[in-house]
Amino acid sequence: VAMAALNGMPYCVTNENKLYMRDPVPYDVGWTHIGHAIDVVAMTALNGKLYCATNENELYVRDPVPLILAGRTSNTPVVSWR
């Protein structure tokens, strides 16, 4: 659905409403799920934050959290857009 890069790290939003990040390497590595991204239609990055627009004409901002907090699984969102 959408992609952005911040500090050299790529981020993507899928049509399953999930936000992922990965290492910027030229070979195949897995994406890490870092949260949800409900109804996102566009995403960008600026000044250390990720911004998204939704199909409801809403604008959200969040930190690009790359780490899973202790006690959480990789499928548990760390920071919410909303």
Side-chain angles (χ1 to χ4, degrees):
V1 172
M3 289 191 79
L6 183 61
N7 299 325
M9 299 293 285
Y11 295 83
C12 75
V13 171
T14 68
N15 56 4
E16 289 89 21
N17 298 317
K18 294 183 179 183
L19 175 65
Y20 291 91
M21 67 172 291
R22 65 170 273 178
D23 288 325
V25 294
Y27 50 88
D28 191 20
V29 295
W31 289 82
T32 301
H33 178 236
I34 63 169
H36 71 271
I38 308 299
D39 298 328
V40 170
V41 295
M43 181 172 61
T44 193
L46 180 67
N47 296 330
K49 303 280 188 184
L50 292 172
Y51 295 83
C52 76
T54 71
N55 62 6
E56 300 275 327
N57 294 321
E58 298 168 317
L59 180 64
Y60 293 98
V61 62
R62 66 167 278 160
D63 291 318
V65 179
L67 302 175
I68 303 302
L69 299 178
R72 294 182 181 259
T73 67
S74 62
N75 292 324
T76 304
V78 176
V79 175
S80 175
W81 287 96
R82 300 177 191 227

